[in-house]
Amino acid sequence: MADLDHYWLPFTPNRLFKKDPRLLVRAEGMYFWNDRGDRLLDGCSGLFCCALGHGRPEILDAISQQYQALDFGTPFQYSHPGAFELAGMLADITPGNLNRFFFANSGSEAVDTAMKIALLYHRAGGEGQRQRFVSRERSYHGVNIGGISLSGMVKNRESFGSGLPGVVHMRHTWLEENRFTPGQGEHGEDLADDLQRFVDLYGGDTIAACFVEPIAGSTGILVPPRGYLERLRQICDRHGILLVFDEVITGFGRTGKPFAAQTFGVLPDLITVAKGLSNGAVPMGAVAISDAIYQQITASAPEGGIEFFHGYTYSAHPLACAAGIATQQIFRDEGIFERSAELAPYFLERVFDLRGVPVIRDIRGYGLLGGIELAPAGGLGQRGYAALQRFYAAGLIVRVTADTVILAPALIAEREHVDRICDTLREVLSAL
Ligand SMILES: Cc1ncc(COP(=O)(O)O)c(C=O)c1O
């Protein structure tokens, strides 16, 4: 096997990992195989990406044909048909008038792109003084400097300076009273009034945008309390603040509709996406932008001039677009979002059945997302890491953040996969 010294793994205790590496060498459908030949059930769609499971032949064909035809399409001042085709397919499923798409290569890039669009939009409308951003404690908006400034996960930001100025955080929405509530909790709508407090403190006309994950994913699945997102929308409307939903995890059927915006019936001005967009086969992210925002920005630029001085060498990369088009086609042709909605009640029932296991402190879930919070033992995250190692030994791959186990099975999962995930969780967690 290759020397393990040179590769620095992301979000991983490298020294520990290298003593006992977990190397995945093959994947198909709902399963991975490791270098020891063990088959492992994928309980987290890779990393929330592989909504269709692994190794779909249609995606392989699309990527391979695209590579043969056009491996790279110069993205500034030139383009290629796949970019327009994918944007059109996305416009068919995004809510309201979010019909314009800017492509990036990751969720992090999508978030930073959305921040810049918000600033540019206000400037174009003569409100360049709107430079503040509001986000939330315990949020995850990627790892670039803009994104970590918004983020509210302490470890992801504490070592990296003070971040962008002018970013303030609302309280998170975890509440003791909502523990073990499937779906949206009854308590906490008023937490949205934190946004109003920032309006009162700083002036609504200094705030560019409010960024939230409709369901906070990486921190351990915090489902919005009933009425909370609606109230954020109202406050944004009253003060001309853009509402941005970061749907990098919740997008593409995770909550039973294409986007959580539709599931919760709240229309944001911008949506950031990645992961499921291309089924994780080729990295891709995007920002969905309302027609009004696009028009205001483009109309304010000089005739014939560039409207947005922003973009990536790999924006709308042909291979990513090919993977994206094939993915979106399967979502549509196989009714994948409906299938996700059908499986969700069973999934949540099985996950919430784990309630009696003594180490579990809270369970949260919505759609095909579940968060199982363990009581910490030793330092923060130690019990979580021990659980992850034992799940792996038992043939299950899940995501663990600190001491919370996160489940996000592929949308093509069957009941038997859900059973196996939950049986393994019960077995391992009962023995912890
Ligand atoms: C809500 C949210 N935003 C942004 C990101 C960053 O995406 P990426 O890791 O592709 O940069 C993530 C990743 O999990 C996410 O969950």
Side-chain angles (χ1 to χ4, degrees):
M1 193 177 63
D3 187 340
L4 297 183
D5 280 350
H6 304 290
Y7 174 50
W8 188 342
L9 288 87
F11 281 117
T12 301
N14 275 255
R15 290 158 300 173
L16 216 53
F17 180 92
K18 287 172 187 182
K19 283 187 198 143
D20 184 17
R22 290 176 291 280
L23 296 180
L24 307 173
V25 297
R26 188 163 88 78
E28 193 184 321
M30 289 294 296
Y31 294 94
F32 283 113
W33 281 261
N34 65 16
D35 58 338
R36 303 193 300 243
D38 305 326
R39 192 177 77 152
L40 303 138
L41 179 57
D42 181 2
C44 206
S45 306
L47 194 54
F48 311 101
C49 326
C50 309
L52 298 171
H54 300 277
R56 285 290 302 227
E58 301 90 329
I59 300 177
L60 169 64
D61 286 350
I63 296 170
S64 135
Q65 280 170 25
Q66 182 61 54
Y67 188 78
Q68 286 171 44
L70 178 79
D71 59 343
F72 183 80
T74 307
F76 306 163
Q77 315 282 10
Y78 303 88
S79 193
H80 65 96
F84 299 92
E85 187 179 344
L86 179 58
M89 291 175 95
L90 296 176
D92 287 342
I93 58 168
T94 40
N97 54 1
L98 274 71
N99 292 321
R100 314 293 174 135
F101 297 87
F102 197 98
F103 288 112
N105 307 289
S106 65
S108 300
E109 288 182 1
V111 166
D112 278 44
T113 300
M115 294 176 82
K116 289 170 83 172
I117 291 172
L119 292 170
L120 182 57
Y121 164 75
H122 290 302
R123 197 178 150 96
E127 289 199 294
Q129 83 286 354
R130 288 188 184 264
Q131 297 194 1
R132 291 183 195 279
F133 290 99
V134 177
S135 61
R136 197 167 54 187
E137 296 169 350
R138 295 190 64 174
S139 61
Y140 186 83
H141 295 293
V143 291
N144 292 341
I145 290 289
I148 62 163
S149 304
L150 296 178
S151 284
M153 289 177 72
V154 180
K155 287 283 167 207
N156 295 357
R157 40 181 300 145
E158 67 182 355
S159 307
F160 310 115
S162 46
L164 291 180
V167 181
V168 288
H169 293 75
M170 303 181 288
R171 283 170 294 170
H172 62 71
T173 60
W174 188 87
L175 286 176
E176 181 74 36
E177 304 90 287
N178 289 334
R179 278 196 318 142
F180 294 105
T181 305
Q184 296 188 267
E186 291 300 330
H187 308 277
E189 177 183 339
D190 54 323
L191 288 165
D193 292 338
D194 284 5
L195 177 57
Q196 183 61 46
R197 292 184 63 165
F198 292 135
V199 165
D200 297 341
L201 183 61
Y202 299 114
D205 68 351
T206 68
I207 302 174
C210 172
F211 276 71
V212 287
E213 301 159 85
I215 297 173
S218 292
T219 192
I221 314 302
L222 303 185
V223 180
R226 279 186 201 285
Y228 174 87
L229 295 174
E230 292 85 337
R231 206 186 280 202
L232 282 185
R233 179 71 270 181
Q234 285 162 7
I235 299 168
C236 286
D237 283 346
R238 274 206 300 274
H239 301 283
I241 300 167
L242 297 181
L243 181 61
V244 186
F245 279 179
D246 186 348
E247 296 225 30
V248 167
I249 287 180
T250 53
F252 303 107
R254 189 55 57 199
T255 63
K257 295 253 168 67
F259 297 92
Q262 289 135 331
T263 302
F264 295 125
V266 175
L267 181 64
D269 302 291
L270 300 169
I271 296 179
T272 50
V273 296
K275 298 192 188 272
L277 169 57
S278 55
N279 206 46
V282 183
M284 189 172 220
V287 186
I289 301 141
S290 72
D291 290 325
I293 292 176
Y294 176 82
Q295 272 147 10
Q296 176 153 311
I297 290 174
T298 48
S300 79
E303 193 61 42
I306 292 172
E307 298 94 354
F308 188 18
F309 283 84
H310 178 74
Y312 303 97
T313 299
Y314 301 123
S315 281
H317 190 285
L319 301 190
C321 290
I325 292 165
T327 300
Q328 301 303 321
Q329 242 155 18
I330 300 172
F331 284 157
R332 194 178 58 198
D333 296 350
E334 297 186 9
I336 295 293
F337 304 152
E338 293 77 13
R339 191 172 159 161
S340 160
E342 259 166 48
L343 183 64
Y346 184 74
F347 168 75
L348 293 174
E349 186 190 312
R350 288 294 331 251
V351 172
F352 278 84
D353 264 359
L354 295 165
R355 184 180 177 145
V357 176
V359 292
I360 297 179
R361 196 167 86 107
D362 187 15
I363 302 181
R364 302 175 287 271
Y366 198 105
L368 290 183
L369 276 175
I372 298 155
E373 186 172 329
L374 312 179
L380 183 72
Q382 278 185 22
R383 179 171 258 162
Y385 195 74
L388 177 135
Q389 287 173 308
R390 291 188 198 191
F391 293 139
Y392 185 75
L396 175 66
I397 294 211
V398 292
R399 170 102 184 100
V400 175
T401 308
D403 292 301
T404 299
V405 178
I406 301 177
L407 305 177
L411 312 186
I412 52 132
E414 303 281 355
R415 286 183 172 214
E416 60 180 284
H417 301 118
V418 173
D419 290 341
R420 199 158 146 236
I421 293 170
C422 292
D423 291 345
T424 309
L425 289 182
R426 180 179 292 281
E427 211 177 288
V428 168
L429 295 178
S430 301
L432 268 188

